[in-house]
Amino acid sequence: MVRARSLIVGIATYIPGLRSLTGRKTGGTVSARYCYAVWLRHLSFLHRHGLPTTFETVAELGPGDSLGVGLAALLSGAGRYIALDAARYADGARNLQILKELIALFRNRAPIPDHLEFPLLQPSLDSYTFPADLLTSTRLGAALIPARLDMIRAAVANAGTSLHDRGPVYYIAPWEPGLVENGTVDLVLSQTVLEFPQDLAGIYAETCRWLKPGGIMSHEIDFKSVGMTVEWNGHWSCSDALWRLVAGRRRHRLNREPHSTHIALLQRMGCRVVCDERTVRPSGITRAQLAPRFRHLTDDDLTTSSALIQAVKLA
Ligand SMILES: C[S@@+](CC[C@H](N)C(=O)[O-])C[C@H]1O[C@@H](n2cnc3c(N)ncnc32)[C@H](O)[C@@H]1O
């Protein structure tokens, strides 16, 4: 069942001028500890599945309020970070502050912030101790040398806005398909982003094109209705007409695609899924309540509230 407030906000977005009041902030990446927690979760799962954990070029979709997740990648040794967002949220001052706090977290080998600190952050880990087996003293020693940190600070203060610029940090928002060259990226990651693009097949085709053969995708995807319905998965019970009113013209609208769509698209684009870490919850709706276009959902789809999906691009 749709929440009355969501319906009112959705309808209000059709009034000229009010749409821009939605999606003004994105959430988590205002906090360095959140960014550290996100990056180390992706890295820990890559390691657990025997996938590479060192990357020359990392591209992130939808970094949100700061570039902190990608900065954590740079502090772990990545050479280049390309941040691509649908809208510009991050600013230089916040990025520099987050970078400073991240440097301290890595220098102190701080434990990974856990589910008690960030209850909504998925996936959860078996252990939140610092992953010293993959971020070894040698690796961090080289990544955190003062001259390299100065270079990263300068790049963050003056992030490239086009891939023709030089430097290790790029922030392009809004971005468009075609900007990133074929086979130039080692890791494409995102955290609670792929539930939004309306052209999901286009996004997967585009990001697979960026990857080098053997390159990695690592996406944490939230399948919940983000509070727009009473039940966590009530959005799958809404007809398209009702959903058009609820979602309205919000800056970011859920695409309502379930888990199986992401797996199928990755496979169709020539990627092998290596990690599929699903968070499951009992469904809040019955099969009979599903809207006609969601009748095909599998039982797994109906109970998967989020998933970390990691895949390798086949040669
Ligand atoms: C819920 S926020 C998550 C932000 C951040 N990753 C975090 O963990 O806090 C969703 C982000 O996805 C971005 N986004 C939505 N559609 C996108 C697209 N097609 N390409 C890139 N980013 C997109 C939004 O602009 C926003 O920054």
Side-chain angles (χ1 to χ4, degrees):
M1 189 206 299
V2 165
R3 285 189 202 277
R5 187 178 179 281
S6 302
L7 186 58
I8 292 164
V9 172
I11 292 170
T13 59
Y14 287 102
I15 300 168
L18 292 190
R19 176 180 187 242
S20 57
L21 296 180
T22 67
R24 282 176 297 168
K25 286 189 181 155
T26 70
T29 58
V30 281
S31 147
R33 290 184 63 79
Y34 172 90
C35 299
Y36 183 76
V38 167
W39 169 247
L40 291 181
R41 277 165 169 71
H42 284 260
L43 207 59
S44 297
F45 273 92
L46 290 171
H47 185 59
R48 186 194 287 184
H49 291 276
L51 293 168
T53 61
T54 56
F55 308 100
E56 175 49 34
T57 299
V58 174
E60 184 184 10
L61 287 176
D65 290 328
S66 86
L67 307 189
V69 174
L71 298 181
L74 290 174
L75 296 177
S76 305
R80 193 164 81 122
Y81 166 56
I82 304 170
L84 301 155
D85 210 320
R88 199 170 187 85
Y89 290 107
D91 69 64
R94 178 182 292 141
N95 289 333
L96 283 170
Q97 178 59 34
I98 299 247
L99 175 63
K100 185 175 157 193
E101 293 172 33
L102 284 170
I103 292 171
L105 289 165
F106 279 104
R107 278 202 176 126
N108 295 332
R109 274 65 169 169
I112 305 173
D114 62 13
H115 53 290
L116 297 175
E117 183 168 348
F118 294 112
L120 302 180
L121 180 55
Q122 295 293 344
S124 49
L125 297 174
D126 296 335
S127 162
Y128 293 91
T129 53
F130 183 77
D133 48 342
L134 67 123
L135 290 178
T136 60
S137 306
T138 314
R139 179 169 167 186
L140 273 190
L144 301 178
I145 53 171
R148 187 170 185 273
L149 296 182
D150 286 345
M151 186 260 298
I152 294 174
R153 266 185 219 101
V156 170
N158 205 0
T161 52
S162 142
L163 291 180
H164 299 298
D165 296 338
R166 290 181 153 271
V169 181
Y170 300 82
Y171 181 32
I172 304 172
W175 72 282
E176 283 170 12
L179 289 174
V180 181
E181 286 185 19
N182 289 359
T184 53
V185 174
D186 301 274
L187 171 69
V188 178
L189 92 153
S190 70
Q191 180 76 21
T192 60
V193 173
L194 290 187
E195 58 269 30
F196 295 107
Q198 302 300 309
D199 177 16
L200 203 50
I203 290 280
Y204 275 115
E206 176 71 8
T207 50
C208 281
R209 186 181 68 68
W210 303 344
L211 284 179
K212 299 172 185 172
I216 309 287
M217 294 268 193
S218 183
H219 300 297
E220 170 66 25
I221 307 160
D222 188 355
F223 301 106
K224 298 190 287 299
S225 73
V226 292
M228 294 174 80
T229 57
V230 174
E231 311 84 3
W232 73 265
N233 58 356
H235 49 327
W236 290 323
S237 69
C238 298
S239 66
D240 287 351
L242 175 58
W243 191 253
R244 263 195 297 281
L245 290 178
V246 181
R249 294 174 62 244
R250 283 171 216 265
R251 206 187 287 195
H252 305 301
R253 281 166 288 147
L254 294 176
N255 56 35
R256 297 197 288 166
E257 290 298 341
H259 173 258
S260 59
T261 304
H262 292 262
I263 300 289
L265 284 173
L266 277 165
Q267 288 167 343
R268 198 198 300 165
M269 303 302 165
C271 292
R272 183 167 58 90
V273 174
V274 177
C275 161
D276 183 11
E277 182 72 12
R278 298 187 303 126
T279 305
V280 293
R281 274 197 189 192
S283 176
I285 55 173
T286 63
R287 282 209 153 270
Q289 288 175 293
L290 286 170
R293 68 174 274 217
F294 295 111
R295 296 262 158 84
H296 68 284
L297 263 61
T298 64
D299 288 345
D300 279 350
D301 282 336
L302 211 48
T303 53
T304 302
S305 60
S306 68
L308 176 69
I309 304 176
Q310 297 183 319
V312 183
K313 178 176 174 171
L314 301 174

